[in-house]
């Protein structure tokens, strides 16, 4: 067994780390406070290749694998959870759906623009009334001549207002079991009736764009349908599996980032005549965090490796996301505790990490949903 | 323009493991490595000289990187290939089997084989700090040299106008190619390099470029060849012999002085500066 990363993965990690240190870290606090999506960074993200990580080169992307996707998200999250969420969702959800299940014409139309950053991607599954019960969605798409008419409301949509296109899941057949009557459509910004109706204010990841979307008699042609009619939910589950790896990676980055801050602070901060790092109470917190984050990292990169090997990885992705997100929140809480009163202030980034990390326990399936998926894999899929 | 850039990995100053000194040598087990920063600046300089900055993907020259070291130093070369260098050569040897003079002699042979128009080097390595290779190489080749370059302007591919960093200011030199140039930190400023290919309105970012994801994948397919040191220099005798290594002495604790009289006394008898 070999636990070392491939050379190109190491080079990638270093490059994204350097980029995050120079282009992201100095601004992350300001973006968070202004609660503003950093549009000005998009060309730089595109130039580095971070907006088309898994898109093949023939469509203008970077042609990398799921492990690379996780590495990129982890390294960005070390300094900014919001941007990590942007990169994770743009690559994994919106463009991921076109990449995985779109027609050749759709790939040619959407993927190059996504990779160049001309069109950021949104992905609309969740609704005001359906979250964990994703298949309970009530947005509808009904046949209208050659095309479709979409009606409904979507909730918590990342890149909802800054995206150039959105892949939306809608019910096309109310007569069959709820998972079997759902179809995906790609809707472009500016399409009549499609709007970001509300910008949502959040606890963390505040410079990531989150919106409520309204579809009011939105007419699209059949060429905007992604995948087979009534088969959208199966595709959605596959998108979520891979997306969970990126959320695990985001949690890892936030956790490791905060742990680094805690180590630096503990060595520097003196109380009772010595560095607080010399106290066992602090050492145990650091040791627990390091151990749990490394365990989370092994789970995350195992799931990514399985995905890259073309093997089943849904259960492993859920285990990675469940454990990494909760380990990360614990590690950041300890890091904040080590910082004491200073950690509670916005002078130090650790409080921002704490707020940003919470979404990892909720987004792309709550911890509770992950446990359902893992147990289902053990009890029903064997 | 064809440019040869010698690179070396050095121990990362941010190493979690502190450097240890063993029997007459530095213990390298467990150390983390990074490219010598001045060498990275040399690569960046070479890339800026061989491209139109507004369309860096279309290479307008050839940049070859070379390192001297064991197999694992190929990572340093691959990193340079991922930022845009075209091909790489590893001369198989180890750190303690080479010194600046042997390196310069081997590089001379490599220059005769590769026929570059320009050899660009970092001004020195941040581990040994010898600052010898560029000067020796120019001497052995009989080529013009310009060291500590803070600014370079390429003139119609035949000559370079080089601003050298010296005490109290800078000196401008015009070198006719082929030449040897070593670079200093300021060369990677936004305006450090002016290439005839790049419109003067184009502004680079300060510092070295990041390896783009697509370029990292492309680097896997670029040529990386291995050469034996003895093929370049049959004479591998060293001119520098290290007799021992010591860590800097640990700082002693200071003392608190209560009166001026005591201070003056100590300055006289202990520090002996009065």
């Amino acid at each position: 067994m070999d636990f070392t990363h491939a050379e190109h993965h190491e080079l990638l990690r270093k490059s994204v780390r350097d980029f995050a240190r120079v282009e992201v870290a100095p601004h992350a606090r300001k973006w968070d406070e202004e609660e503003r999506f950093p549009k000005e960074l998009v060309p730089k993200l595109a130039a580095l290749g971070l907006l088309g990580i898994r898109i093949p080169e023939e469509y203008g992307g970077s042609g990398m694998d799921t492990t690379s996707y996780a590495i990129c998200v982890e390294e960005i999250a070390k300094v900014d959870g919001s941007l990590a969420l942007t990169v994770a969702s743009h690559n994994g959800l919106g463009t991921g759906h076109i990449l995985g299940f779109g027609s050749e014409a759709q790939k040619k139309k959407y993927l190059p623009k996504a990779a160049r950053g001309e069109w950021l991607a949104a992905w609309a599954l969740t609704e005001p009334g359906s979250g964990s019960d994703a298949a309970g969605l009530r947005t509808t798409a009904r046949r209208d001549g050659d095309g479709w008419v979409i009606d409904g409301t979507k909730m918590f949509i990342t890149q909802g207002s800054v995206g150039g296109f959105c892949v939306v899941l809608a019910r096309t057949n109310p007569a069959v079991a709820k998972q079997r009557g759902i179809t995906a459509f790609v809707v472009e910004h500016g399409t009549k009736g499609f709007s970001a109706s509300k910008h949502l204010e959040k606890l963390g990841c505040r410079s990531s764009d989150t919106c409520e979307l309204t579809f009011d008699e939105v007419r699209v042609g059949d060429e905007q349908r992604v995948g087979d009619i009534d088969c959208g939910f199966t595709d959605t589950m596959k998108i979520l599996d891979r997306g969970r790896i990126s959320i695990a990676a985001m949690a890892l980055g936030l956790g490791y980032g905060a742990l680094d801050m805690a180590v630096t602070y503990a060595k520097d901060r003196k109380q009772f005549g010595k560095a607080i790092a010399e106290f066992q109470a602090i050492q145990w917190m650091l040791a627990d965090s390091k151990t749990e984050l490394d365990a989370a990292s092994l789970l995350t990169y195992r799931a990514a490796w399985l995905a890259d090997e073309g093997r089943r990885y849904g259960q492993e992705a859920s285990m990675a996301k469940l454990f990494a997100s909760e380990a990360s929140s614990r590690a950041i809480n300890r890091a904040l505790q080590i910082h004491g009163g200073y950690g509670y202030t916005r002078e130090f980034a650790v409080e921002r990490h704490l707020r940003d990390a919470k979404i990892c326990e909720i987004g792309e399936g709550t911890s509770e949903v992950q446990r359902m998926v893992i147990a289902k894999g053990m009890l029903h899929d064997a | 323009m064809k440019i040869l850039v010698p690179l070396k990995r050095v121990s990362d100053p941010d190493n979690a493991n502190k450097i240890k000194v063993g029997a007459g040598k530095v213990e390298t087990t467990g150390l983390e490595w990074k490219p010598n920063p001045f060498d990275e600046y040399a690569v960046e300089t070479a890339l800026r000289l061989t491209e139109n900055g507004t369309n860096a993907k279309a290479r307008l020259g050839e940049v070859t990187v070379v390192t001297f070291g064991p197999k694992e130093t190929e990572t340093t070369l691959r990193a340079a290939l991922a930022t845009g260098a075209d091909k790489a050569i590893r001369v198989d040897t180890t750190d303690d089997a080479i010194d600046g003079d042997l390196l310069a002699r081997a590089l001379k042979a490599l220059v005769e084989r590769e026929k570059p128009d320009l050899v660009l080097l970092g001004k020195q390595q941040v581990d040994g700090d010898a600052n010898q290779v560029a000067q020796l190489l120019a001497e052995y080749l009989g080529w013009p040299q310009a060291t500590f370059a803070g600014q370079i302007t390429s003139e119609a591919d035949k000559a370079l106008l080089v601003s050298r960093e010296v005490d109290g200011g800078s000196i401008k030199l015009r070198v006719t190619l082929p030449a040897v140039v070593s670079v200093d930190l300021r060369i990677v400023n936004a305006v450090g390099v002016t290439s005839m290919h790049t419109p003067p309105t184009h502004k680079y970012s300060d510092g070295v470029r990041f390896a783009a994801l697509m370029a990292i994948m492309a680097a896997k397919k670029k040529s990386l060849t291995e050469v034996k040191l003895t093929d370049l220099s049959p004479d591998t005798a060293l001119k520098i012999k290290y007799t021992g290594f010591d860590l800097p002495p640990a700082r002693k604790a200071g003392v608190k002085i209560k009166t001026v009289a005591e201070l003056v006394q100590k300055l006289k008898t202990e520090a002996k500066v009065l």
Side-chain angles (χ1 to χ4, degrees):
Chain A
M1 200 182 281
D2 184 355
F3 285 95
T4 53
H5 278 291
E7 186 178 60
H8 68 279
H9 286 140
E10 291 296 344
L11 290 175
L12 171 70
R13 189 178 286 283
K14 182 186 177 299
S15 187
V16 180
R17 183 178 298 173
D18 288 347
F19 173 82
R21 178 173 47 79
V22 174
E23 299 286 356
V24 183
H27 314 290
R29 179 182 169 189
K30 185 177 59 124
W31 293 335
D32 175 70
E33 285 181 355
E34 292 173 358
E35 211 157 347
R36 176 179 73 79
F37 181 81
K39 272 201 175 104
E40 65 273 25
L41 194 67
V42 170
K44 289 178 177 175
L45 291 169
L48 199 68
L50 287 171
L51 298 179
I53 301 170
R54 287 182 54 253
I55 296 175
E57 283 183 41
E58 55 184 305
Y59 304 112
S62 305
M64 286 190 151
D65 55 13
T66 301
T67 302
S68 307
Y69 170 42
I71 289 170
C72 293
V73 173
E74 182 188 345
E75 287 303 323
I76 294 169
K78 282 180 181 171
V79 301
D80 187 6
S82 294
L83 191 70
L85 188 61
T86 301
V87 169
S89 60
H90 167 83
N91 280 281
L93 304 180
T95 60
H97 205 126
I98 304 277
L99 180 61
F101 310 105
S103 66
E104 187 57 31
Q106 287 165 345
K107 288 181 188 176
K108 278 188 178 144
K109 182 173 184 189
Y110 294 102
L111 297 181
K113 285 192 172 182
R116 284 200 300 269
E118 281 173 47
W119 279 355
L120 291 178
W123 191 69
L125 170 68
T126 300
E127 299 185 356
S130 66
S132 294
D133 179 17
L137 61 87
R138 293 164 68 178
T139 295
T140 57
R142 61 182 160 79
R143 267 290 189 185
D144 177 57
D146 289 342
W148 301 82
V149 176
I150 305 170
D151 270 296
T153 306
K154 293 289 179 178
M155 193 52 129
F156 311 134
I157 309 307
T158 313
Q159 278 89 251
S161 77
V162 301
F165 66 92
C166 174
V167 175
V168 57
L169 281 303
R171 185 162 308 285
T172 38
N173 187 350
V176 293
K178 62 181 181 180
Q179 290 90 344
R180 300 220 178 91
I182 293 169
T183 307
F185 299 88
V186 56
V187 181
E188 290 167 27
H189 256 244
T191 307
K192 191 164 175 281
F194 171 46
S195 63
S197 35
K198 192 180 175 193
H199 175 259
L200 298 167
E201 296 176 343
K202 310 188 293 298
L203 170 75
C205 290
R206 300 199 305 176
S207 64
S208 152
D209 176 57
T210 311
C211 292
E212 180 191 82
L213 298 181
T214 302
F215 295 81
D216 180 16
E217 295 271 316
V218 176
R219 274 164 211 281
V220 294
D222 193 49
E223 73 279 2
Q224 299 298 98
R225 170 169 55 82
V226 187
D228 294 333
I229 295 174
D230 294 348
C231 293
F233 198 72
T234 320
D235 299 345
T236 294
M237 290 297 106
K238 289 176 189 154
I239 295 289
L240 285 174
D241 283 346
R242 202 186 306 271
R244 280 164 188 159
I245 296 175
S246 72
I247 299 301
M250 175 179 160
L252 276 183
L254 285 164
Y256 278 126
L259 180 58
D260 268 358
M261 296 172 208
V263 169
T264 305
Y265 186 82
K267 288 203 275 196
D268 188 51
R269 172 75 171 171
K270 290 190 176 58
Q271 292 290 283
F272 306 104
K274 54 185 175 183
I276 61 170
E278 291 182 38
F279 292 105
Q280 208 172 41
I282 304 293
Q283 291 171 2
W284 287 22
M285 285 198 261
L286 295 174
D288 284 348
S289 293
K290 171 78 172 149
T291 306
E292 289 179 29
L293 288 173
D294 275 17
S297 172
L298 290 171
L299 281 174
T300 305
Y301 287 100
R302 175 182 70 163
W305 176 79
L306 286 169
D308 289 333
E309 290 284 304
R311 290 156 69 166
R312 285 181 62 167
Y313 64 94
Q315 198 183 354
E316 288 79 5
S318 282
M319 288 160 68
K321 187 204 175 267
L322 168 65
F323 188 76
S325 62
E326 297 193 347
S328 173
S329 284
R330 286 194 294 272
I332 302 168
N333 250 311
R334 292 186 198 108
L336 198 151
Q337 190 70 16
I338 289 168
H339 279 74
Y342 288 108
Y344 198 68
T345 70
R346 290 199 193 157
E347 292 294 310
F348 286 77
V350 64
E351 65 84 29
R352 179 162 48 82
H353 279 236
L354 185 80
R355 291 186 283 107
D356 288 355
K358 186 64 193 174
I359 193 59
C360 299
E361 297 174 55
I362 299 169
E364 301 203 24
T366 60
S367 286
E368 293 66 34
V369 164
Q370 304 312 321
R371 289 182 172 93
M372 282 162 56
V373 172
I374 296 161
K376 183 166 174 281
M378 296 162 69
L379 301 171
H380 304 298
D381 287 356
Chain B
M1 194 191 292
K2 277 183 75 175
I3 304 177
L4 180 71
V5 184
L7 295 174
K8 194 188 152 197
R9 65 170 193 180
V10 294
S11 70
D12 189 336
D14 298 326
N15 254 303
N17 300 323
K18 290 274 179 285
I19 289 207
K20 290 192 189 79
V21 171
K25 63 172 199 169
V26 177
E27 289 291 342
T28 54
T29 326
L31 284 186
E32 283 164 30
W33 304 90
K34 64 181 286 184
N36 178 48
F38 292 111
D39 297 349
E40 289 189 300
Y41 307 156
V43 173
E44 176 66 27
T45 307
L47 293 173
R48 290 190 192 179
L49 285 171
T50 52
E51 71 191 10
N52 177 341
T54 59
N55 178 25
K57 274 180 193 160
R59 307 298 315 156
L60 304 173
E62 189 185 74
V63 177
T64 304
V65 287
V66 56
T67 198
F68 290 70
K71 181 86 181 160
E72 60 264 27
T73 60
E74 286 183 1
T75 303
T76 313
L77 293 173
R78 201 66 76 183
L81 292 174
T83 56
D86 299 281
K87 62 187 182 102
I89 301 164
R90 179 175 67 85
V91 183
D92 189 50
T93 180
T94 55
D95 269 358
D96 45 13
I98 46 174
D99 63 11
D101 183 69
L102 176 53
L103 210 60
R105 284 184 282 133
L107 278 173
K108 173 177 184 275
L110 197 66
V111 165
E112 284 161 358
R113 188 186 287 196
E114 295 291 321
K115 301 190 171 40
D117 306 297
L118 173 66
V119 183
L120 268 175
L121 306 94
K123 68 166 181 174
Q124 66 195 58
Q125 304 298 324
V126 298
D127 52 2
D129 283 324
N131 177 17
Q132 293 178 342
V133 177
Q135 295 87 335
L136 286 167
L137 176 61
E139 176 65 23
Y140 290 151
L141 285 166
W143 286 9
Q145 61 171 300
T147 51
F148 316 124
Q151 247 182 339
I152 296 178
T153 305
S154 70
E155 299 180 330
D157 249 9
K158 294 284 178 246
L160 300 176
L161 187 63
V162 180
S163 172
R164 300 182 58 229
E165 307 246 316
V166 293
D167 284 346
S170 59
I171 294 176
K172 279 200 173 145
L173 283 182
R174 179 167 286 113
V175 289
T176 312
L177 299 180
V180 177
V181 175
S182 79
V183 298
D184 211 328
L185 168 66
R186 282 191 187 80
I187 198 73
V188 292
N189 281 354
V191 294
V193 178
T194 310
S195 155
M196 49 181 271
H197 304 298
T198 301
T201 46
H202 180 74
K203 200 160 181 267
Y204 279 98
S205 300
D206 280 339
V208 300
R209 65 196 62 192
F210 310 112
L213 274 61
M214 211 189 278
I216 291 173
M217 297 307 279
K220 289 164 73 169
K221 296 178 202 129
K222 288 181 180 173
S223 152
L224 197 167
T225 49
E226 185 188 329
V227 177
K228 284 200 179 73
L229 179 60
T230 46
D231 289 349
L232 297 177
S233 172
D235 173 13
T236 56
L238 301 182
K239 288 196 173 159
I240 295 173
K241 275 200 187 109
Y242 290 102
T243 54
F245 287 92
D246 283 305
L247 291 173
R251 246 184 92 195
K252 284 181 193 150
V255 288
K256 280 188 181 166
I257 290 163
K258 290 201 178 86
T259 64
V260 174
E262 194 187 347
L263 172 66
V264 172
Q265 167 74 11
K266 280 189 186 292
L267 288 174
K268 271 186 182 161
T269 59
E270 287 181 31
K272 297 196 173 110
V273 291
L274 292 182

